[in-house]
Amino acid sequence: MFYTDGKLQYPVFVETPDPIFARALQQAIGGVEGEIRVAMQYFFQAMGARGNPKFRDLLLNTATEELGHIEMLATAVALNLEGAPVGEQEAVAADPVAGAVLGGMNMKNILSAGLAAMPVDSDGVPFDMSHCYASGNIAADMTANVTAESTGRVLAVRLYNMTNDPGMKDMLQFLIARDTMHQNQWLAALEELGGAQDVFPIPNSHPQTEEKQEFSYAYLGFKQDGSEPVQGRWSEGESIDGNGTFETRNMEPLGEEPALGRARPGTGAQAEQL
């Protein structure tokens, strides 16, 4: 069950409405780095979380927080759209935001939402849930969440650098701080699950003795001239999971050229393929 009291999680105010910045903020709502993505990702991860129930609670609690962030950003979009010209006469008037209509404002915010936020990105493309990752493996999900919060924080910092409005900067610094916490909490969850040496490789339930172990920790080179690939921590020394030793070698073809059979009748192939 979800509850709301109608109040924002953090204050949102705009001193100088900026319709172009409203469009940019839409990326933080409906972009692949945005709040709809993480809210739904954490929610569906929680719905499939098995094992210790505290991880489900952690996910669901954070999903609920992210819903509040959507509310904040949607309010910020609406406030930035206030005063935007909505007709031809206004568009040619000496309005400081008149040029925004033809110079970068997302027309969907006017035509489809009446100067309000929408579940779309900065180009007006609806969020389709394709970037919500919920694997049912708690370690894989926590690892994906670190990435989600990292790209979200990158976006929030870029938005912060795009505006001079004090209210927007203050709101974004709050969201940046929450991204910092969320990155750390997912990493802490991975540590509680056992850290790199117990969590990886994911899933740790599959016996490594059954995989082709000669390739488990080999950094393979694929340069046509046969030169050695660039070296780093990933190419020598103990593996991160502690289960092997990194090595480097150039890969040679181990299989043959594919030889497919003739096309089946009725599949729409050319006569020469049958």
Side-chain angles (χ1 to χ4, degrees), residues 31-55:
V32 295
E33 318 92 333
E35 300 290 354
I36 295 177
R37 182 264 180 98
V38 289
M40 293 297 96
Q41 179 161 307
Y42 304 158
F43 180 84
F44 282 98
Q45 286 178 0
M47 295 305 97
R50 292 179 171 84
N52 193 323
K54 70 179 178 181
F55 292 107

Side-chain angles (χ1 to χ4, degrees), residues 14 17-23 26 74-86 97 105-106 108-110 113-117:
V14 175
D18 183 349
I20 296 179
F21 191 61
R23 176 173 181 169
Q26 281 287 166
T75 302
V77 167
L79 292 175
N80 272 287
L81 290 171
E82 287 188 353
V86 295
V97 294
M105 183 176 176
N106 192 331
K108 277 191 174 183
N109 291 120
I110 291 179
L115 299 179

